[in-house]
Each structure stands twice: as C-alpha cells, then as structure tokens.
Amino acid sequence: MIWNRTFECMSREEMRQCQSRRLIDMVERVYHNVPFYRSKMQAIGLHPEDIRSVDDLNRLPFTTKQDLRDNYPYGLFAVPMSEIVRIHASSGTTGKPTVVGYTRKDLSTWSEVIARTLTSAGAHKHDVVHIAYGYGLFTGGLGLHYGSEKIGATVIPVSGGNTKRQLQIMHDFGSSVLACTPSYALYLAEALEEENINRNELKLRVGVFGAEPWTENMRKEIEEKWKIKAIDIFGLSEIIGPGVSSECIYQKGLHVNEDHFIPEIIDPVTLNPLSEGTEGELVFTTITKEGLPLLRYRTRDLTSLNYEPCKCGRTLVRMHKCNGRSDDMLIIRGVNLFPSQIETVLLEMSETKPHYLIIVDRVNNLDTLEVQVEVEPEFFMDRISEFQNLTRKIQHHIESATGLGVNVKLVEPKTIERSEGKAKRVIDKRKI
Ligand code: DLL
C-alpha cells in the first residue's frame, strides 16, 4: 500500500519540477521573512531570483545547529508567533535546547509524512498503534500520534516508561504496531520473557523504530524475539521530527519525502556536494515548511543516497540506514546528548573540575550513562556525607540539564587521563 501515489511515485522529472517550484517559493519567503537568511544571502550577493531550479540548490548558504542556538528561541521563525500553533524542542550543543515551531499547515504536512511512513511499514486503519515514544517536547510521541490518526488507525498514546504496564496494555488492548526506539523494543522483548507473557497472545506484527542508530543485527534480534517486521524510521526535530524518511517493507534504504525535504550529501570537511552512492553528511532543505523553513540544514548524520527505483513502486530517493555522525552527539535511550552539556554543568559548579569522562554502556538492552568527575582535593579529605551530597548534587544538575538519569562517580584529582590532543571525553561500550 502507498499512502500518496501522486507524490511518492512521480517520475524523477516531475519530482524535479515540483521541488524547483517549491524551492523558488521558499527562498523568496525566507529572504523576506527571516533577517538571518536575508543577511546571509546578501553577504554572498545572492538574490532570490538567482534560484531558478533545484540545480541552484548548492548556491544557497548552509544552516547549522549553532545558527539555531544563536537565534534562540524563535529567531529563525518565518511567521509571526500568532501563526505558530505548536512548539517542540531537542537538545542543543550546550545548555539550551533547539526550539522548533509549527504552523497549522506544518502540522498537517507532518501528519501526511507520518501517514506515508506508517503505510510504507504496512500499517493501516485496522491497526492499533502503540506509541511508546515519549510525548512532550520530543517529537517522537506526538509526531507518530497524529499520523496514526490520519490513516484511521486506533492510537494508544502510552508514551515511554513503565515497562510492565506497556506489556499489559499491549496484551489487553491488542496493539498491532509498536512505535518506540529500537533499544526500547529489545528491552520490552526481554521483559516479555520475564513477565511470562505468551507472545502468541499478542497481536503485534510491525514495529516502526527510530530516533537512534541501530544495526542490521539489532533488527534481526528484534524481529526474531518479537516475530514482527522491524521498520527503520528517521527524522530530526529541525526538519519536522519523525517522517523525514522511512523504509518500505523491502527494508532496503529509507525513502525520503523529498517533495517536502530535499536531501543532499556533502563532504563534512570541504562542504562540497558528493555524488550518488558516496557516503557523507546529510543536508536537508525544507521546501514546504512555514514556521521554521531551513536552507541546507547540516544534520551531521552520515549516509548516502540511492536514486534507483525500488520494488515497492515508490520513486522517492532512498537514504542508507544512518549509523554515524560527523559530530560528537550521543543518543542515549533516544535522548540526544552532547558532551558539552555535561561540561557546562560542571563548569558552573565550584566544587568540580572540568575533567570528566562519560561512559555509556548497554545493560539488558537499556543504555546506561555514567559520568566520572574529578573534584577539588579537599573533598577527598572531608567527611563521607559531604562526598555523598556532592555526588547527588552533580547528579541532580546533570539530570535536569539533560533529562537523562545518570550515575555520577567522583574521582580523585588527576585520575582522569589527560590527552595531548583532543580530549577523550566519551567511552561508548555499546556494540552498535
Ligand atoms: O529523534 C525524531 C524521531 C523520533 C525520529 C521518532 C524517529 C522516530 P531528534 O531528537 O531531533 O529527533 O534527533 C535527531 O536522531 O539527527 C539522528 O542522529 C538520530 N536519528 C533519528 N532517527 C534515526 C534513525 C528525532 N532511524 C537525530 N537511525 C538525528 C539513526 C536516527 N539515527
């Protein structure tokens, strides 16, 4: 089944024309409505009329997460706040989150691309979609929610956490599609065995998993443990949230909704465009977004593009499964974390030194986060209660800055290895 044949199956030439028309309109809008883009374009002597088709895409300036941060919170919005009907946010590189805004039309586009995502995974109106992505500022929960309603499925908005309850609901309410991070899907599978729930009493048949990297091996494990088809779905808040691209049932790359988001692959160092099939950094230009339209947004995700037709009938370009990034962002239990966020917390506290080590692991399919912190020497001579208080204090500060549970370990001064070059801040022991 294909949700929107007109756009998902159009010829490459029709897609080019559609993208060109939309791009021209979008460049005109951002030039007039977003001072940031106007001055960026003026600085390189580029006028909206210079953009005549998608072939001119690479004349446009790039946008980075830092640009969003510099214009925090609403500076890049292209419409007045009275037109914005929803806000979401994701982690920024330091303390402040990246804020994104949607108009009514943006929300309708979002539901449309999620409807495509679910349909390409094989879901339909008779399904019961169990949404265990977090609801809130994170785009996972609400993003999947409205798209599921759009296809006419029954939505169970469980949100994340409370594993026992998840399984009971899945069993009693007849969930047939599971939407969550792949690592949580594995964790739930293990809990299923522990709770002694008979898999054959569940109606589950498909999973739509994303928000973090996962390998083919993880897919195999999830599919075997759950006896379901596990579909990879990809997206990022800045572009819309989930719904940017997703696999079809052939699981051979993720179809990009390129009538809304034009993908490019660039060399992350020279910033030059790379040819089809070459791995590099994924860049998106949104061509229908109203609230937060972005020109050539550097995702930092590494992948490649494939324009060959797919067996499913969709002509939408496919991106290879994403398994790496060109920056140091970690994804822990689906939550994005930059080491600099931890550093900011530690620098703000007088008792600690900015020497720290982040250790990420996966225990029973759940990510764990430990932060080792060097403290000022007097803490090692003081009473044990002071020591515990400080541990708790750091833990609390990190948790409220990142939204992630953390195990803090205080270590003696000069025990964390110093490096002569780039400091090694992260040890990621997860085998993904
Ligand atoms: O994670 C949106 C999302 C929600 C996607 C639910 C899929 C399902 P952010 O929190 O802004 O948005 O994080 C975006 O997560 O740049 C990638 O590095 C990573 N990511 C998202 N999906 C995948 C995936 C959501 N399927 C960042 N495979 C992106 C690998 C993924 N990485």
Side-chain angles (χ1 to χ4, degrees), residues 245-264:
S245 66
S246 60
E247 284 180 337
C248 60
I249 52 168
Y250 295 104
Q251 300 169 312
K252 289 267 176 328
L254 293 83
H255 291 280
V256 179
N257 286 306
E258 51 175 328
D259 51 322
H260 295 287
F261 324 111
I262 308 181
E264 290 174 88

Side-chain angles (χ1 to χ4, degrees), residues 65 89-91 133 138-141 144 180-181 208-214 232-238 241-243 245 254 299-301 321-325 329 331 334-336:
K65 213 173 178 78
S90 74
S91 319
Y133 283 116
F138 177 55
T139 52
L144 265 295
C180 64
T181 59
V208 281
F209 306 125
E212 64 185 9
W214 53 306
D232 190 7
I233 70 170
F234 172 90
L236 58 158
S237 322
E238 294 87 330
S245 66
L254 293 83
T299 65
R300 298 290 187 164
D301 291 306
K321 212 170 181 356
C322 263
N323 272 328
R325 291 184 54 91
M329 187 179 94
I331 305 185
V335 177
N336 305 347

Side-chain angles (χ1 to χ4, degrees), residues 203-271:
K203 300 241 167 61
L204 208 65
R205 56 182 196 85
V206 184
V208 281
F209 306 125
E212 64 185 9
W214 53 306
T215 55
E216 285 302 334
N217 278 344
M218 265 179 90
R219 181 188 335 250
K220 221 170 129 225
E221 208 176 325
I222 293 175
E223 292 194 328
E224 276 166 11
K225 284 205 157 125
W226 278 111
K227 301 194 190 79
I228 61 171
K229 199 159 189 92
I231 296 289
D232 190 7
I233 70 170
F234 172 90
L236 58 158
S237 322
E238 294 87 330
I239 300 305
I240 202 152
V244 173
S245 66
S246 60
E247 284 180 337
C248 60
I249 52 168
Y250 295 104
Q251 300 169 312
K252 289 267 176 328
L254 293 83
H255 291 280
V256 179
N257 286 306
E258 51 175 328
D259 51 322
H260 295 287
F261 324 111
I262 308 181
E264 290 174 88
I265 300 291
I266 61 160
D267 180 318
V269 180
T270 64
L271 305 185

